[in-house]
Amino acid sequence: MSAAEPGPHAFTEIVAELPKDEPQQDIGIGAVSEQTTPDPGEKTLQIEHNEELDKDEARAHIENICNELEVRDAKELKRLAKRHMDMTACTIYDEASDTYRYRPCCSTKIADLGVYGAGVSLYFHFILQMGIVFFLCGIITSGNLYLNISGGMVVENNAFYRYFGMTTIANLGACKSGRCSTAQEVEDRCIMNSFPCPMPLKTMSQWIGLADGVAILFVMAWGLFFQRYWIPRVVRVTNQRNLAPSDFAVDVAILPAKLSQDHALYENLMKAHFEEVLRSLSVDDPDAIQEVALVRDYGGSISKFIGKGKNLHRQQGDLIKLKKLQGRDDAASKKKTEALENAATKKFYKMKAIDTSLAKQSEMVDEDRSVFRAFVTFSKQSHKQAVLDQYRFSRFLLFRCFQKESLRFCGSAIKVQQACEPSDLYWENLDYTWWKRIIRKLIVLLLTVVVLVLCSLALLYAQSVSKATLASSNEQLVWILKSTPNSNAACMELCDVDFFSDRACTQTGDAPKIVRMFDASMDYTTFKLSSSGCTENWTSPACSNHTSGNTASQDWLGFQFESPHQAQCFQLKLAASRQVKEVQLFGCMTLPPDVASRGNWTVEEHCVPMYANDLGQLSLPAGQDFAQSGNLQISADMSCPTTISEEVARNRWESFAAGSAERTSSPILSCFCQQQVLSKGPQFLLPPYDTSAKRICEEWSSSSNVMIGKLLSATAAVVIINQLLVLIYGFMVKWERHCTGTDMAQSQFWKLFLAQFTNTGLLVLLVNASLKKLPAVLLPLRMLSIGTGKYDDFTISWYISVGCGLCLTIFMQVFSTTVPPLIMSFLIQPCMVRFYGRREVVLAHMNQIYQLPDWNLALRMAQTLTVVFVICTYSSGMPALYTVGLVYSIVAFWLDKWCLLRGSAKPPAFNQTILNTCMHFLPIAAFLHTILACWTFGNQSLVPSEWSLLRPVAEAVFGMNLGKYTEIVDTYRNAAESLKGDLQSDYYHARMLDCARSSCWLLLLIFLTFCIYYVTYWVLKLFLYPFIAPCLFAIRDICCKARSSLHVGGGVWDDCVKACAKHNTITSYKLEANHNYKDAYLAINHTSRKLR
């Protein structure tokens, strides 16, 4: 170590810079002299006199410090600060060259990272193995993904939604005509969009569900393997490979705070006690105890001592700058000198104020303070293990009551446990009372819920935009029924037309009233079709003009509703004399022109086309003069089968006013622009609009870009709010006053994870759900827009609109969570060094500026587990998420490793606690997967399948039989929207029986196993475990004692010191040895010197 480098005991050098002989005046201890009450004049003189004394005291204090300060030049400060940065980074000390070498990113093995704590090593093991698991799950479900892509159920205008929807279960299967007209056709559809059909989808549905069940079983098996085998193995190997201070130390967590006798000799008595314990075990080693570090009661004031120490450093900085200005007589220097003197004086008064607030602590020396905790370091691992073995029952209050007298310390029972690493301690919180810490945790828990609600409110607008990006093409103000060239009839003659809001053509729903009917030549404001027979019918104008050569454009009838009406199905009655073979519906959001201008108005150019309906063989009721159609499905035709020329598109575009909605909604312009995008690529949507075709599609392109922009904005809002939560919870967790960095990281981890998973994976589901009637206790959720969506089940539209945004959010997490730490380390931190480092003159502050950012294990673990949860929860319907998970694992592994080894300060020695907590959460992800998978695969419109042999089991578990199921489901699906609220709870109850379908049998078994496990676990955890835990521990101790003794290490303390010196890790548990508490030690030493 160079002579200029501050060593482990550099605090004495810093303290030496302060004046050794302080002025004798009181500087804030709190002394008060007895006086008689003076008259007002004398009081004023006394105040002025005291102020003058304070000024004299401040001048003397500053002058004494200035005379003893050591001023270093800028180059020396920079060199020492860089050395401090290297020393506190993840480096290896090279004794030969006296330099610190950064570890290579590629060749550093995961096991080598164990020197920074088992928690760090386990995190990278988790990322690596998680990527392998996602890769294998992707292979297992690759058949599902292939079948999804091979289907033909998703028909969308927007290429973004169409291509994404093709990867989801919404695209599974296909109907021969390109669409499924009836519910029966949906269930009987082909397995892929290839005809003649190789096989029905029903024959493969059980294998689709089986593949998904095997994938999630694989995830669960890996989680069990990682938790039960891999974590203990890594901890054991890490301890064997890397000697650390915790391998030689124990933590005396419960001990007498005050000794009735010889309290000032507490440290020596503690050392003598453990030496006696070792002698009772036949260990006669005079050097068995290496160190005893006591945690004394500072009344929770270490934070104030840290503030005082920082104030001392800042004062030193002002005085160093002042010393550099000595001898200069120019006006600028005099002005700076005056400003620095004032600043130094203010800091002196501020330090006096801190001393006043610490009056009680300032009157005590360390030996007189109460003791809260102790860390005892032994010279050999075997000594530590022998002591832990003797005190193994002290963890339980019941056993401490019967503790042997020889194990008691000064007559008091003590609790001895494994110590954490010295770098893991938060000294400012160690003397904080347990009951105050519990109160703070309860307050933070409440604030956590409040913050989560506020963040959910902030996401409402973004989510409402996201769920509105796909408007229903079946909701139109005007519906027009038209014959097609395949009608095989000159014109239509209608007896009746009925529109229905459901696919089964049973309910009109809450349909608005039809205010008029019209055709190509006339409006019928009072005309009404016949509801029975064909006594009142409509005859197309084309029937009388069939020789004009333009009958097709006139052979239609329009229906204008009072407000936009969503129609899913319709039925026809046609005159028996004019049987039309094929008809087509068109939906229009705008009204046609007046009758006088309607001659040049064409339905195809102004309205959205639906798929044509083949009427087939119409039924002719006996004795009736009309033919009755069956149920005719209404589905938007978004395929644009007719190629639109640029000339036709330009003519249509020029016919609309600039900025009008028709330029965006016109079917001809929409189809033309879609065809241009498919032929020229997505860049056609982007400005500049400098070609004829791009100018025609400018309004349409802008509208499409806005729609995609809204989706991206909604996705970005989730990412931004998640980053904001990191800052909020970071502050809140610090306020909880945890004793160790691991405890703080664990608290931050689960809070961040729950918040981020709620924002990312749950809120989007609940906001888009249509929960028509909530229980009274849940009505406040309406404030968060929960249950106000339009999806009461998983449908094709749900996977296209909601699933697309969800998958995009997870894909953005690949980079939004891994890149920011690199930006902080390699961009922001160097800029801060250049900006602040030029003016700094105090080495302690220079070290803080140069020190690299912390590597936040809690944040990275929370973000990673959020990705795992969302992927596991929704992968049943979107198997492509496994690929996204694989990409995330690869990117996160290498970027996090690079950031840790090259751009971060040495992290605290985290243990395995966070990873254990993470693995306790993982089964919940699998449980959520089984719930959504059963619900999705049981949906007959998505994955049609037969009942399995488990149906009787499901009927008994869910309390639902097949007859009741059929009745409830049919009633709900055919009910009007206004009535579905009362039926929805029964419908969801009935849908539970769909878990017994052949596509869900394995998932149902997993679900039931989970239910049994969690019920048993929580009953034992909450009611029985507190009583039986001591007995279980005693039984385990008897059975496993011999086996545990085999793992006692043989290391010695000197080897540990050498290993820690190589990796620049702290070896002492004392406050002065931790570089994070230099300021506190400086202030405490400063106070003690004044008292002595």
Side-chain angles (χ1 to χ4, degrees):
M1 185 177 294
S2 64
E5 180 194 354
H9 301 290
F11 308 105
T12 56
E13 298 175 9
I14 296 173
V15 175
E17 294 179 354
L18 298 176
K20 295 180 173 54
D21 296 317
E22 294 286 343
Q24 297 302 312
Q25 293 91 340
D26 172 59
I27 58 171
I29 300 300
V32 179
S33 61
E34 296 183 1
Q35 300 183 27
T36 59
T37 304
D39 60 44
E42 292 179 353
K43 188 173 183 180
T44 303
L45 292 175
Q46 183 68 34
I47 292 174
E48 293 177 354
H49 178 67
N50 290 339
E51 289 178 353
E52 192 64 31
L53 287 177
D54 287 342
K55 291 180 181 178
D56 292 341
E57 181 186 351
R59 291 191 193 99
H61 174 78
I62 291 172
E63 189 174 337
N64 288 335
I65 293 180
C66 283
N67 293 333
E68 297 184 6
L69 280 177
E70 178 185 356
V71 181
R72 293 186 175 95
D73 60 27
K75 289 184 178 180
E76 180 69 6
L77 276 176
K78 187 176 180 179
R79 185 188 69 81
L80 293 176
K82 282 186 175 180
R83 185 174 180 85
H84 173 80
M85 178 184 71
D86 295 340
M87 183 173 61
T88 56
C90 297
T91 53
I92 300 175
Y93 179 65
D94 187 353
E95 190 173 358
S97 60
D98 191 29
T99 58
Y100 296 93
R101 177 172 53 85
Y102 283 83
R103 292 176 179 270
C105 185
C106 295
S107 59
T108 300
K109 299 178 181 179
I110 298 179
D112 297 335
L113 300 178
V115 70
Y116 308 118
V120 175
S121 177
L122 283 168
Y123 168 76
F124 286 97
H125 279 294
F126 180 85
I127 289 284
L128 178 63
Q129 294 186 23
M130 184 185 70
I132 296 173
V133 169
F134 281 149
F135 174 73
L136 295 176
C137 287
I139 292 177
I140 294 171
T141 59
S142 60
N144 294 9
L145 182 60
Y146 171 75
L147 292 177
N148 292 344
I149 296 174
S150 302
M153 298 297 289
V154 173
V155 182
E156 276 297 325
N157 282 336
N158 190 285
F160 179 75
Y161 288 112
R162 180 168 64 251
Y163 291 131
F164 170 79
M166 288 174 61
T167 66
T168 70
I169 202 170
N171 199 49
L172 186 62
C175 292
K176 186 174 184 180
S177 60
R179 65 187 180 90
C180 302
S181 301
T182 65
Q184 191 60 42
E185 287 187 16
V186 171
E187 294 189 14
D188 295 338
R189 65 184 185 268
C190 186
I191 193 171
M192 59 180 61
N193 196 15
S194 176
F195 298 93
C197 179
M199 68 176 66
L201 177 58
K202 278 187 176 181
T203 61
M204 284 293 294
S205 58
Q206 61 176 333
W207 300 106
I208 295 173
L210 183 64
D212 183 77
V214 170
I216 202 62
L217 276 177
F218 187 77
V219 173
M220 292 165 55
W222 166 72
L224 189 63
F225 162 79
F226 194 88
Q227 182 180 19
R228 298 297 182 184
Y229 172 75
W230 198 258
I231 291 180
R233 177 184 179 276
V234 170
V235 172
R236 186 172 63 254
V237 171
T238 300
N239 290 337
Q240 292 172 353
R241 286 172 56 98
N242 306 288
L243 286 177
S246 63
D247 296 331
F248 299 84
V250 297
D251 175 12
V252 187
I254 297 178
L255 73 177
K258 274 278 189 181
L259 298 181
S260 57
Q261 295 179 350
D262 300 326
H263 182 77
L265 302 176
Y266 203 115
E267 183 175 325
N268 294 333
L269 292 174
M270 178 68 70
K271 181 178 181 181
H273 169 74
F274 280 103
E275 287 177 343
E276 184 62 31
V277 170
L278 287 174
R279 277 195 292 270
S280 68
L281 298 173
S282 302
V283 177
D284 191 9
D285 184 356
D287 299 321
I289 309 298
Q290 190 68 33
E291 176 189 81
V292 176
L294 301 180
V295 178
R296 297 189 180 271
D297 181 13
Y298 292 96
S301 299
I302 294 245
S303 298
K304 291 185 179 180
F305 279 117
I306 292 175
K308 180 180 177 180
K310 289 180 178 179
N311 194 66
L312 282 169
H313 280 306
R314 284 192 289 266
Q315 189 182 57
Q316 290 175 15
D318 292 338
L319 299 180
I320 289 173
K321 293 175 183 177
L322 198 63
K323 195 170 184 179
K324 289 182 177 180
L325 291 173
Q326 287 180 351
R328 298 184 184 181
D329 295 330
D330 57 284
S333 297
K334 289 182 178 179
K335 186 175 180 180
K336 289 182 180 179
T337 299
E338 183 180 359
L340 288 171
E341 286 178 347
N342 291 334
T345 303
K346 288 181 180 179
K347 291 180 176 66
F348 174 77
Y349 289 134
K350 185 175 181 181
M351 190 168 62
K352 286 188 66 175
I354 295 175
D355 283 338
T356 302
S357 68
L358 294 172
K360 185 176 180 180
Q361 296 297 325
S362 300
E363 295 171 358
M364 300 176 63
V365 294
D366 266 11
E367 290 78 4
D368 295 334
R369 302 178 191 273
S370 300
V371 177
F372 271 17
R373 208 165 181 171
F375 293 93
V376 181
T377 305
F378 297 89
S379 60
K380 295 182 180 180
Q381 281 183 284
S382 58
H383 297 348
K384 180 210 78 168
Q385 192 60 44
V387 170
L388 283 178
D389 186 63
Q390 282 294 299
Y391 282 96
R392 63 188 182 279
F393 292 104
S394 67
R395 58 181 292 187
F396 297 102
L397 176 61
L398 176 65
F399 293 142
R400 284 201 302 274
C401 295
F402 302 98
Q403 197 171 70
K404 293 180 183 179
E405 189 64 31
S406 61
L407 298 179
R408 292 173 178 260
F409 174 64
C410 295
S412 299
I414 60 176
K415 177 183 177 181
V416 180
Q417 60 189 15
Q418 172 64 48
C420 64
E421 295 296 337
S423 61
D424 202 22
L425 291 174
Y426 281 146
W427 274 90
E428 63 267 38
N429 302 334
L430 290 178
D431 61 345
Y432 209 69
T433 55
W434 63 270
W435 60 270
K436 288 183 180 180
R437 187 176 291 115
I438 290 177
I439 291 175
R440 285 179 175 243
K441 288 183 179 181
L442 292 176
I443 294 174
V444 168
L445 183 61
L446 178 62
L447 291 176
T448 299
V449 177
V450 172
V451 169
L452 186 57
V453 171
L454 292 177
C455 290
S456 299
L457 288 172
L459 285 171
L460 288 181
Y461 174 73
Q463 295 297 339
S464 63
V465 168
S466 177
K467 68 183 182 182
T469 51
L470 287 181
S472 174
S473 299
N474 286 14
E475 188 174 277
Q476 304 291 346
L477 180 64
V478 174
W479 288 99
I480 295 178
L481 181 66
K482 188 178 183 297
S483 63
T484 70
N486 298 326
S487 297
N488 294 331
C491 59
M492 292 191 298
E493 186 174 346
L494 300 177
C495 303
D496 190 20
V497 180
D498 291 316
F499 292 94
F500 301 88
S501 60
D502 67 311
R503 289 285 181 183
C505 281
T506 58
Q507 292 290 336
T508 58
D510 301 323
K513 182 175 64 174
I514 296 177
V515 295
R516 70 162 177 159
M517 292 188 294
F518 56 90
D519 57 27
S521 59
M522 187 178 299
D523 290 343
Y524 305 97
T525 55
T526 60
F527 181 77
K528 183 178 180 181
L529 291 175
S530 175
S531 58
S532 61
C534 201
T535 57
E536 297 182 23
N537 59 358
W538 169 82
T539 303
S540 170
C543 294
S544 56
N545 300 329
H546 61 273
T547 59
S548 64
N550 192 28
T551 58
S553 62
Q554 299 180 9
D555 195 22
W556 54 266
L557 176 64
F559 303 85
Q560 179 187 341
F561 289 84
E562 192 174 26
S563 61
H565 173 47
Q566 184 175 23
Q568 302 285 343
C569 181
F570 72 105
Q571 293 177 347
L572 293 178
K573 289 181 183 178
L574 301 116
S577 57
R578 300 181 188 275
Q579 291 191 24
V580 180
K581 299 298 183 183
E582 188 178 73
V583 294
Q584 186 175 13
L585 270 179
F586 292 82
C588 320
M589 285 304 296
T590 58
L591 298 175
D594 296 336
V595 175
S597 306
R598 205 175 292 165
N600 296 325
W601 186 84
T602 56
V603 175
E604 292 83 357
E605 295 179 0
H606 294 84
C607 302
V608 178
M610 307 292 130
Y611 278 107
N613 295 92
D614 184 4
L615 301 182
Q617 188 67 37
L618 298 176
S619 60
L620 294 171
Q624 299 290 341
D625 56 351
F626 64 87
Q628 176 75 50
S629 74
N631 297 342
L632 304 175
Q633 301 295 311
I634 302 175
S635 301
D637 184 359
M638 300 179 179
S639 60
C640 294
T642 305
T643 302
I644 309 297
S645 66
E646 185 174 331
E647 181 180 359
V648 172
R650 185 184 301 107
N651 292 336
R652 178 53 51 194
W653 178 71
E654 292 174 349
S655 67
F656 300 127
S660 64
E662 286 83 357
R663 286 191 172 183
T664 301
S665 60
S666 170
I668 286 183
L669 292 179
S670 295
C671 283
F672 171 74
C673 296
Q674 290 175 48
Q675 291 165 2
Q676 294 298 311
V677 171
L678 291 176
S679 63
K680 297 180 180 179
Q683 62 271 18
F684 180 82
L685 295 169
L686 304 176
Y689 301 104
D690 50 2
T691 65
S692 175
K694 294 185 80 172
R695 280 194 294 272
I696 292 172
C697 296
E698 181 175 356
E699 289 87 350
W700 183 89
S701 297
S702 298
S703 176
S704 298
N705 291 337
V706 167
M707 182 179 68
I708 296 175
K710 287 180 179 179
L711 178 65
L712 293 175
S713 299
T715 303
V718 175
V719 175
I720 292 172
I721 289 179
N722 284 344
Q723 293 295 330
L724 182 62
L725 286 171
V726 174
L727 301 177
I728 296 174
Y729 285 139
F731 172 78
M732 292 168 59
V733 168
K734 285 183 180 179
W735 192 74
E736 287 182 328
R737 306 293 291 264
H738 292 279
C739 293
T740 65
T742 298
D743 292 340
M744 179 178 288
Q746 184 176 7
S747 178
Q748 187 182 25
F749 157 69
W750 73 258
K751 290 180 177 67
L752 283 173
F753 162 67
L754 291 179
Q756 293 187 355
F757 176 62
T758 299
N759 291 340
T760 306
L762 290 184
L763 193 62
V764 65
L765 175 66
L766 297 176
V767 168
N768 286 279
S770 176
L771 304 177
K772 305 179 187 301
K773 192 173 183 180
L774 289 176
V777 69
L778 298 179
L779 285 179
L781 294 178
R782 293 295 191 196
M783 297 174 57
L784 303 177
S785 293
I786 289 177
T788 60
K790 61 180 181 180
Y791 302 105
D792 59 0
D793 210 334
F794 292 113
T795 62
I796 293 176
S797 297
W798 188 94
Y799 277 102
I800 294 173
S801 56
V802 181
C804 177
L806 192 65
C807 190
L808 185 61
T809 301
I810 294 302
F811 186 76
M812 290 181 66
Q813 294 272 38
V814 173
F815 303 100
S816 66
T817 60
T818 55
V819 173
L822 296 175
I823 295 176
M824 284 294 300
S825 298
F826 298 106
L827 182 62
I828 296 179
Q829 198 268 346
C831 291
M832 292 179 67
V833 167
R834 292 179 64 87
F835 182 77
Y836 292 104
R838 293 177 299 178
R839 296 175 292 179
E840 191 54 64
V841 294
V842 179
L843 180 60
H845 290 174
M846 199 71 157
N847 288 343
Q848 292 177 0
I849 293 171
Y850 269 79
Q851 185 165 321
L852 294 172
D854 293 330
W855 189 76
N856 196 333
L857 175 63
L859 172 61
R860 291 300 300 123
M861 198 69 245
Q863 292 169 335
T864 299
L865 192 61
T866 298
V867 172
V868 173
F869 255 67
V870 175
I871 290 174
C872 289
T873 302
Y874 294 100
S875 58
S876 58
M878 297 180 283
L881 284 175
Y882 286 127
T883 304
V884 177
L886 173 62
V887 174
Y888 174 86
S889 300
I890 295 172
V891 173
F893 180 85
W894 288 109
L895 292 189
D896 283 346
K897 193 176 179 183
W898 181 27
C899 184
L900 172 67
L901 296 180
R902 293 304 182 99
S904 299
K906 192 183 286 92
F910 296 111
N911 58 31
Q912 68 274 20
T913 304
I914 294 180
L915 271 298
N916 275 326
T917 304
C918 171
M919 300 316 295
H920 281 301
F921 277 124
L922 190 62
I924 301 176
F927 184 53
L928 293 176
H929 176 96
T930 59
I931 294 175
L932 267 69
C934 285
W935 202 265
T936 300
F937 290 143
N939 190 334
Q940 296 305 287
S941 64
L942 292 175
V943 188
S945 59
E946 303 293 344
W947 295 105
S948 71
L949 297 176
L950 295 177
R951 195 188 77 193
V953 177
E955 289 178 342
V957 171
F958 300 122
M960 177 67 58
N961 57 55
L962 182 58
K964 192 176 179 181
Y965 161 86
T966 304
E967 178 185 354
I968 293 175
V969 170
D970 290 345
T971 302
Y972 178 82
R973 289 177 177 172
N974 298 328
E977 289 297 319
S978 59
L979 300 177
K980 285 188 175 181
D982 297 326
L983 302 173
Q984 193 171 55
S985 60
D986 291 334
Y987 170 72
Y988 287 150
H989 182 199
R991 278 278 283 116
M992 293 179 183
L993 192 62
D994 282 324
C995 297
R997 299 278 181 176
S998 61
S999 57
C1000 307
W1001 68 267
L1002 179 57
L1003 294 163
L1004 176 61
L1005 291 177
I1006 299 173
F1007 170 78
L1008 295 177
T1009 304
F1010 266 122
C1011 291
I1012 296 171
Y1013 168 76
Y1014 278 115
V1015 169
T1016 305
Y1017 175 82
W1018 285 110
V1019 167
L1020 292 175
K1021 183 79 173 178
L1022 297 177
F1023 301 106
L1024 299 179
Y1025 185 77
F1027 303 100
I1028 65 174
C1031 300
L1032 291 176
F1033 179 82
I1035 295 172
R1036 192 184 306 117
D1037 178 77
I1038 295 173
C1039 297
C1040 306
K1041 184 176 180 180
R1043 186 176 60 185
S1044 62
S1045 63
L1046 298 176
H1047 303 299
V1048 177
V1052 296
W1053 177 250
D1054 291 339
D1055 294 338
C1056 176
V1057 172
K1058 293 178 182 178
C1060 291
K1062 181 179 180 181
H1063 301 292
N1064 315 305
T1065 53
I1066 302 171
T1067 58
S1068 175
Y1069 284 87
K1070 293 187 176 181
L1071 174 69
E1072 58 265 31
N1074 195 322
H1075 65 83
N1076 293 323
Y1077 297 96
K1078 287 182 179 180
D1079 293 327
Y1081 182 74
L1082 175 64
I1084 293 172
N1085 223 351
H1086 179 263
T1087 303
S1088 297
R1089 284 178 53 216
K1090 290 190 299 182
L1091 290 175
R1092 294 190 175 109

